[in-house]
Amino acid sequence: MAKILEPTPENIIECAKAIQSGDIVGVPTETVYGLAANVFNNSALTKVYQTKDRPAFNPLIAHVYDAKDLVALEKLGLIDASKLPPAAKTTAEKLITKFWPGPLTIVLPKNAKVPDFATAGLSTIAIRAPKHPVMQQLIQKAETPLAAPSANRSGHVSPTTAQAVDEELGKSINNILDGGPCEIGLESTVVTIADDGKVQLLRPGAITRENIQEIADMTSVGDSQKILSPGLLANHYAPSKPLLLLPSAVLSLNFTNSTELIRKQFPGKPFQQLKAGVLLMSGDTDMAEIYLSGLLGLNTICRKLSVTGDLREVAKNLFKEIRNLDSQKIDLILVEPCNSEAGLGHAIMDRLRRAQVKH
Ligand code: TXA
Ligand code: MG
């Protein structure tokens, strides 16, 4: 069973030593919790894949402490900057200066020293400098970049608390560093840079398209890149109960259009026999429960993701609330859509679409 450790200097050093000796540790970051290993240690990387039951074709993100530029990443033995065309180099430097430390992962040409295991055999490596002080101290003490995928079993919802890491992987790891609830709650934005210096978004996150466009041009991802970012397969981030993303808010005029969609999830079963967990973006949960039972005869537990509809609050609570509903005695989870897919709405809707698994 895993020990959940307060992030004292002693515990951070203990975890750093564990990593140096080839163990894997549950770690906090500002996005979601990760499962960290020394990026240069093949047997530790194998443990990461085995523990998560992660397909070998899905590469890992290397986490660094406060790298200021490409030279620093090359010195760490992570990248081969000579393989970057000048325009791409300029963009990479701009992204690093503007967004690190923070929730932006940049895909760059990999250094020959990085084991193929870390990158699933790709010629590139995904790197980010996390902002969470506990993770920063751990990387410093471990004296090596840390490969860290989200600390969930493959395909599941990412954990945003130490307790959620324990539920996911506690039986198979020794230590989880508790850095409190994650501030952002969604995995980092992942980008790659085309030869002409344009940024391509592989996974939306808290660094939004709009944020990136302020400093660099963007272009859409071609089919070849889709294959090169194997973690972006649909049916990711899934709870064990069926999750349906509603086409409109519960207390909106259009909501009645959702009735048929909900019914299709359980053909032949009357609503009276079902219980749904419902996540509202904001608003009155009591009123939504009364409305859903009056209109459809559907029993619900309604929870709200934010007080005012602030998308940062929605993102922070989303995975925690999905996890919470998933553990209750319900038949399905219904989630309201964001009002807009601009800004953080893009990442939230991306995760919700992927969480909709056909059960
Ligand atoms: O916020 C985060 O990024 C968290 C925390 C722990 O840092 N980590 C995380 O890791 O979400 P993971 O392994 O769950 O997601 C990594 C994503 C996957 O979609 C993977 O396919 C993509 O990054 N990726 C990794 N290396 C890549 C590469 N060389 N080229 C393209 N995509 C890559
Ligand atoms: Mg993940």
Coordinates of all heavy atoms in Angstrom, one line a residue, residues 84-146:
L84 N 16.4 21.2 -35.0 CA 15.3 22.1 -35.1 C 15.6 23.2 -36.1 O 16.7 23.9 -36.0 CB 15.1 22.8 -33.7 CG 14.1 22.3 -32.7 CD1 14.1 23.3 -31.5 CD2 12.7 22.2 -33.3
P85 N 14.8 23.4 -37.1 CA 15.0 24.5 -38.1 C 15.0 25.8 -37.3 O 14.3 25.9 -36.3 CB 13.8 24.3 -39.0 CG 13.3 23.0 -38.8 CD 13.6 22.6 -37.4
P86 N 15.7 26.9 -37.9 CA 15.8 28.1 -37.2 C 14.4 28.7 -36.7 O 14.3 29.2 -35.6 CB 16.5 29.1 -38.2 CG 17.2 28.1 -39.1 CD 16.4 26.8 -39.1
A87 N 13.4 28.7 -37.6 CA 12.1 29.3 -37.3 C 11.5 28.5 -36.1 O 10.9 29.1 -35.2 CB 11.2 29.2 -38.5
A88 N 11.6 27.2 -36.1 CA 11.1 26.4 -35.0 C 11.8 26.7 -33.7 O 11.2 26.8 -32.6 CB 11.1 24.9 -35.3
K89 N 13.1 26.9 -33.8 CA 13.9 27.2 -32.6 C 13.4 28.5 -32.0 O 13.2 28.6 -30.7 CB 15.4 27.4 -33.0 CG 16.4 26.6 -32.3 CD 17.8 26.9 -32.8 CE 18.5 25.6 -32.7 NZ 19.8 25.6 -33.3
T90 N 13.2 29.5 -32.8 CA 12.8 30.8 -32.3 C 11.4 30.7 -31.6 O 11.2 31.2 -30.5 CB 12.6 31.8 -33.5 OG1 13.8 31.8 -34.3 CG2 12.2 33.2 -33.1
T91 N 10.5 29.9 -32.2 CA 9.2 29.8 -31.5 C 9.4 29.0 -30.2 O 8.7 29.4 -29.2 CB 8.2 29.0 -32.5 OG1 8.1 29.7 -33.7 CG2 6.9 28.8 -31.8
A92 N 10.2 28.0 -30.2 CA 10.4 27.2 -29.0 C 10.9 28.1 -27.9 O 10.4 28.0 -26.7 CB 11.3 26.0 -29.2
E93 N 11.9 28.9 -28.2 CA 12.4 29.8 -27.2 C 11.3 30.7 -26.6 O 11.3 31.0 -25.4 CB 13.6 30.6 -27.7 CG 14.8 29.8 -28.2 CD 15.7 29.3 -27.0 OE1 15.3 29.4 -25.9 OE2 16.8 28.8 -27.3
K94 N 10.5 31.3 -27.5 CA 9.4 32.2 -27.1 C 8.5 31.5 -26.2 O 8.0 32.0 -25.2 CB 8.6 32.7 -28.4 CG 9.2 33.8 -29.1 CD 8.1 34.4 -30.0 CE 8.7 35.0 -31.2 NZ 7.7 35.3 -32.3
L95 N 8.1 30.3 -26.5 CA 7.1 29.5 -25.7 C 7.7 29.2 -24.3 O 7.0 29.4 -23.3 CB 6.8 28.2 -26.4 CG 5.9 28.3 -27.7 CD1 5.8 26.9 -28.3 CD2 4.6 28.9 -27.4
I96 N 9.0 28.9 -24.3 CA 9.6 28.6 -23.0 C 9.7 29.8 -22.1 O 9.3 29.8 -21.0 CB 11.1 28.0 -23.2 CG1 11.0 26.6 -23.8 CG2 11.9 28.0 -21.9 CD1 12.3 26.0 -24.3
T97 N 10.1 30.9 -22.8 CA 10.2 32.2 -22.0 C 8.8 32.6 -21.4 O 8.7 33.0 -20.3 CB 10.8 33.3 -22.9 OG1 12.0 32.8 -23.5 CG2 11.0 34.6 -22.1
K98 N 7.8 32.5 -22.3 CA 6.5 33.0 -21.9 C 5.8 32.1 -20.9 O 5.1 32.5 -20.0 CB 5.7 33.2 -23.2 CG 4.3 33.6 -23.0 CD 4.1 35.1 -22.9 CE 2.6 35.4 -22.7 NZ 2.4 36.8 -22.4
F99 N 5.9 30.8 -21.1 CA 4.9 29.9 -20.4 C 5.6 29.0 -19.4 O 4.8 28.3 -18.7 CB 4.1 29.1 -21.4 CG 3.2 29.9 -22.3 CD1 3.5 29.9 -23.7 CD2 2.2 30.7 -21.8 CE1 2.7 30.7 -24.5 CE2 1.4 31.4 -22.6 CZ 1.6 31.5 -24.0
W100 N 6.9 28.9 -19.3 CA 7.5 28.0 -18.3 C 8.0 28.8 -17.1 O 8.5 29.9 -17.3 CB 8.7 27.3 -18.9 CG 8.3 26.1 -19.7 CD1 7.0 25.7 -20.1 CD2 9.2 25.1 -20.3 NE1 7.1 24.6 -20.9 CE2 8.4 24.2 -21.0 CE3 10.6 25.0 -20.3 CZ2 9.0 23.1 -21.7 CZ3 11.1 23.9 -21.0 CH2 10.3 23.0 -21.7
P101 N 7.9 28.4 -15.9 CA 7.2 27.1 -15.5 C 5.7 27.3 -15.7 O 5.2 28.3 -15.4 CB 7.6 26.9 -14.1 CG 8.0 28.2 -13.5 CD 8.4 29.0 -14.7
G102 N 5.0 26.2 -16.1 CA 3.6 26.3 -16.3 C 3.1 25.1 -17.1 O 3.8 24.2 -17.5
P103 N 1.8 25.1 -17.4 CA 1.1 23.9 -17.9 C 1.2 23.8 -19.5 O 0.2 23.6 -20.1 CB -0.3 24.1 -17.5 CG -0.5 25.6 -17.4 CD 0.8 26.1 -17.0
L104 N 2.4 24.0 -20.0 CA 2.6 23.9 -21.4 C 3.7 22.8 -21.7 O 4.8 22.9 -21.2 CB 3.1 25.2 -22.1 CG 3.3 25.0 -23.6 CD1 1.9 25.0 -24.3 CD2 4.1 26.2 -24.2
T105 N 3.3 21.8 -22.5 CA 4.3 20.7 -22.9 C 4.7 21.0 -24.3 O 3.8 21.1 -25.2 CB 3.6 19.3 -22.7 OG1 3.3 19.2 -21.3 CG2 4.5 18.2 -23.2
I106 N 6.0 21.0 -24.6 CA 6.5 21.2 -25.9 C 7.2 20.0 -26.5 O 8.0 19.4 -25.8 CB 7.5 22.4 -25.9 CG1 6.9 23.6 -25.2 CG2 7.8 22.8 -27.4 CD1 7.8 24.8 -25.0
V107 N 6.8 19.6 -27.7 CA 7.4 18.4 -28.3 C 8.6 18.8 -29.1 O 8.4 19.7 -30.0 CB 6.3 17.6 -29.2 CG1 7.0 16.5 -30.0 CG2 5.2 17.1 -28.3
L108 N 9.8 18.3 -28.8 CA 11.0 18.7 -29.5 C 11.8 17.5 -29.9 O 11.6 16.4 -29.5 CB 11.8 19.5 -28.5 CG 11.2 20.9 -28.0 CD1 11.8 21.4 -26.8 CD2 11.3 21.9 -29.2
P109 N 12.8 17.7 -30.8 CA 13.6 16.5 -31.3 C 14.4 15.9 -30.1 O 15.0 16.7 -29.3 CB 14.6 17.1 -32.3 CG 14.0 18.5 -32.6 CD 13.2 18.9 -31.5
K110 N 14.3 14.6 -30.0 CA 14.9 14.0 -28.8 C 16.4 13.8 -28.9 O 16.9 13.6 -30.0 CB 14.2 12.7 -28.6 CG 15.0 11.4 -28.5 CD 14.0 10.3 -28.3 CE 14.7 8.9 -28.6 NZ 15.8 8.6 -27.9
N111 N 17.1 13.9 -27.8 CA 18.5 13.6 -27.7 C 18.7 12.1 -27.7 O 17.9 11.3 -27.2 CB 19.0 14.1 -26.4 CG 20.5 14.2 -26.3 OD1 21.2 13.2 -26.4 ND2 21.1 15.4 -26.2
A112 N 19.8 11.6 -28.3 CA 20.1 10.2 -28.4 C 20.2 9.5 -27.0 O 20.0 8.3 -26.9 CB 21.3 9.9 -29.2
K113 N 20.5 10.4 -26.0 CA 20.6 9.8 -24.6 C 19.3 9.3 -24.0 O 19.2 8.6 -23.1 CB 21.2 10.8 -23.7 CG 22.6 11.1 -24.0 CD 23.1 12.2 -22.9 CE 24.5 12.7 -23.4 NZ 24.7 14.1 -22.9
V114 N 18.2 9.9 -24.6 CA 16.9 9.5 -24.0 C 16.5 8.1 -24.4 O 16.5 7.8 -25.6 CB 15.8 10.5 -24.4 CG1 14.4 10.1 -23.9 CG2 16.1 11.9 -24.0
P115 N 16.1 7.3 -23.5 CA 15.7 5.9 -23.9 C 14.5 5.9 -24.7 O 13.6 6.7 -24.5 CB 15.4 5.2 -22.5 CG 15.9 6.1 -21.4 CD 16.1 7.5 -22.0
D116 N 14.4 5.0 -25.7 CA 13.3 4.8 -26.5 C 12.0 4.6 -25.8 O 10.9 5.0 -26.2 CB 13.4 3.7 -27.5 CG 14.3 4.1 -28.7 OD1 14.4 5.3 -28.9 OD2 14.8 3.2 -29.4
F117 N 12.1 4.0 -24.6 CA 11.0 3.7 -23.7 C 10.2 5.0 -23.3 O 9.0 5.0 -23.2 CB 11.5 3.0 -22.4 CG 11.1 1.6 -22.4 CD1 12.1 0.7 -21.9 CD2 9.9 1.1 -22.7 CE1 11.8 -0.7 -21.9 CE2 9.5 -0.2 -22.6 CZ 10.5 -1.1 -22.2
A118 N 11.0 6.1 -23.1 CA 10.4 7.3 -22.7 C 9.5 7.9 -23.7 O 8.6 8.6 -23.5 CB 11.5 8.3 -22.2
T119 N 9.9 7.7 -25.0 CA 9.3 8.4 -26.1 C 8.5 7.4 -27.0 O 8.1 7.8 -28.1 CB 10.3 9.2 -26.9 OG1 11.2 8.2 -27.5 CG2 11.1 10.2 -26.1
A120 N 8.3 6.2 -26.5 CA 7.7 5.2 -27.3 C 8.3 5.0 -28.7 O 7.5 4.9 -29.7 CB 6.2 5.5 -27.4
G121 N 9.6 5.2 -28.8 CA 10.3 5.0 -30.1 C 10.2 6.2 -31.0 O 10.8 6.2 -32.1
L122 N 9.5 7.3 -30.6 CA 9.4 8.5 -31.5 C 10.8 9.2 -31.5 O 11.6 9.0 -30.6 CB 8.4 9.4 -31.0 CG 6.9 8.9 -31.0 CD1 6.0 10.0 -30.4 CD2 6.5 8.5 -32.4
S123 N 11.0 10.0 -32.5 CA 12.2 10.8 -32.6 C 12.1 12.1 -31.8 O 13.0 12.9 -31.9 CB 12.6 11.1 -34.1 OG 11.5 11.8 -34.6
T124 N 10.9 12.3 -31.2 CA 10.7 13.5 -30.5 C 10.5 13.2 -29.0 O 10.1 12.1 -28.6 CB 9.5 14.3 -31.0 OG1 8.4 13.3 -31.0 CG2 9.7 14.8 -32.4
I125 N 10.6 14.2 -28.2 CA 10.3 14.1 -26.7 C 9.4 15.3 -26.3 O 9.7 16.4 -26.6 CB 11.6 14.0 -25.9 CG1 11.2 13.9 -24.4 CG2 12.5 15.2 -26.1 CD1 12.4 13.4 -23.5
A126 N 8.4 15.0 -25.4 CA 7.5 16.0 -24.9 C 8.1 16.4 -23.6 O 8.5 15.6 -22.7 CB 6.1 15.4 -24.7
I127 N 8.2 17.8 -23.4 CA 8.9 18.3 -22.2 C 8.1 19.4 -21.6 O 7.5 20.3 -22.3 CB 10.3 18.9 -22.5 CG1 11.1 17.8 -23.2 CG2 11.0 19.4 -21.2 CD1 12.5 18.4 -23.7
R128 N 8.0 19.5 -20.2 CA 7.4 20.7 -19.6 C 8.1 21.0 -18.3 O 8.7 20.1 -17.6 CB 5.9 20.6 -19.4 CG 5.4 19.9 -18.2 CD 3.8 20.0 -18.2 NE 3.2 19.5 -17.0 CZ 2.9 20.2 -16.0 NH1 3.1 21.5 -16.0 NH2 2.3 19.7 -14.9
A129 N 8.1 22.2 -17.8 CA 8.6 22.6 -16.6 C 7.4 23.0 -15.7 O 6.8 24.0 -15.8 CB 9.5 23.9 -16.7
P130 N 7.0 22.1 -14.7 CA 5.9 22.3 -13.9 C 6.1 23.5 -12.9 O 7.2 23.8 -12.6 CB 5.7 21.0 -13.2 CG 7.0 20.3 -13.3 CD 7.7 20.8 -14.4
K131 N 5.0 24.0 -12.5 CA 5.0 25.2 -11.6 C 4.9 24.8 -10.1 O 5.1 25.6 -9.3 CB 3.9 26.2 -12.0 CG 4.1 27.6 -11.6 CD 3.0 28.4 -12.2 CE 3.4 29.9 -12.0 NZ 2.5 30.8 -12.9
H132 N 4.4 23.6 -9.9 CA 4.1 23.2 -8.5 C 5.4 23.2 -7.7 O 6.3 22.4 -8.1 CB 3.4 21.9 -8.5 CG 2.7 21.6 -7.2 ND1 3.4 21.5 -6.0 CD2 1.4 21.4 -6.9 CE1 2.5 21.3 -5.0 NE2 1.3 21.2 -5.5
P133 N 5.5 23.9 -6.6 CA 6.8 24.0 -5.8 C 7.3 22.6 -5.4 O 8.5 22.4 -5.3 CB 6.5 24.9 -4.7 CG 5.0 25.1 -4.6 CD 4.5 24.8 -6.0
V134 N 6.3 21.7 -5.0 CA 6.8 20.4 -4.5 C 7.4 19.6 -5.6 O 8.5 19.0 -5.4 CB 5.6 19.6 -3.9 CG1 6.0 18.2 -3.5 CG2 5.0 20.4 -2.7
M135 N 6.8 19.6 -6.8 CA 7.4 18.9 -7.9 C 8.7 19.5 -8.3 O 9.7 18.8 -8.6 CB 6.4 19.0 -9.1 CG 6.8 18.3 -10.3 SD 7.0 16.5 -10.1 CE 7.1 16.0 -11.8
Q136 N 8.8 20.9 -8.2 CA 10.1 21.5 -8.6 C 11.2 21.1 -7.6 O 12.3 20.8 -8.0 CB 9.9 23.1 -8.5 CG 9.0 23.6 -9.6 CD 8.9 25.1 -9.5 OE1 9.1 25.7 -8.5 NE2 8.5 25.7 -10.6
Q137 N 10.8 21.0 -6.3 CA 11.9 20.6 -5.3 C 12.3 19.2 -5.6 O 13.4 18.8 -5.5 CB 11.3 20.8 -3.9 CG 11.2 22.3 -3.5 CD 10.3 22.4 -2.3 OE1 10.3 21.6 -1.4 NE2 9.5 23.5 -2.3
L138 N 11.3 18.3 -5.9 CA 11.6 16.9 -6.1 C 12.5 16.7 -7.3 O 13.5 16.0 -7.2 CB 10.2 16.2 -6.4 CG 10.4 14.7 -6.6 CD1 10.9 14.0 -5.3 CD2 9.1 14.0 -7.1
I139 N 12.2 17.5 -8.4 CA 13.1 17.3 -9.6 C 14.5 17.8 -9.2 O 15.5 17.1 -9.6 CB 12.6 18.2 -10.8 CG1 11.2 17.7 -11.2 CG2 13.5 18.0 -12.0 CD1 10.5 18.7 -12.2
Q140 N 14.6 18.9 -8.5 CA 15.9 19.4 -8.1 C 16.7 18.4 -7.3 O 17.9 18.1 -7.5 CB 15.8 20.6 -7.2 CG 15.9 21.9 -7.9 CD 15.8 23.1 -6.9 OE1 14.9 23.2 -6.2 NE2 16.8 24.0 -7.0
K141 N 16.0 17.8 -6.3 CA 16.7 16.8 -5.4 C 17.0 15.5 -6.1 O 18.0 14.9 -5.8 CB 15.8 16.5 -4.2 CG 15.5 17.7 -3.3 CD 16.7 18.1 -2.5 CE 16.4 19.4 -1.7 NZ 17.6 20.2 -1.4
A142 N 16.1 15.1 -7.0 CA 16.4 13.9 -7.7 C 17.5 14.1 -8.7 O 18.1 13.1 -9.2 CB 15.1 13.4 -8.4
E143 N 17.8 15.3 -9.1 CA 18.9 15.7 -10.0 C 18.8 15.0 -11.4 O 19.8 14.6 -12.0 CB 20.3 15.3 -9.4 CG 20.6 16.2 -8.1 CD 21.8 15.8 -7.4 OE1 22.2 14.6 -7.5 OE2 22.4 16.7 -6.8
T144 N 17.6 14.8 -11.8 CA 17.3 14.3 -13.1 C 15.9 14.7 -13.6 O 15.0 14.9 -12.7 CB 17.4 12.7 -13.1 OG1 16.9 12.3 -14.4 CG2 16.4 12.1 -12.1
P145 N 15.7 14.9 -14.9 CA 14.3 15.1 -15.3 C 13.5 13.9 -15.0 O 14.0 12.8 -15.0 CB 14.5 15.3 -16.8 CG 15.9 15.6 -17.1 CD 16.7 15.0 -16.0
L146 N 12.2 14.2 -14.7 CA 11.3 13.1 -14.4 C 10.3 12.8 -15.5 O 9.5 13.8 -15.9 CB 10.6 13.4 -13.1 CG 11.5 13.7 -11.9 CD1 10.6 14.0 -10.6 CD2 12.4 12.5 -11.6

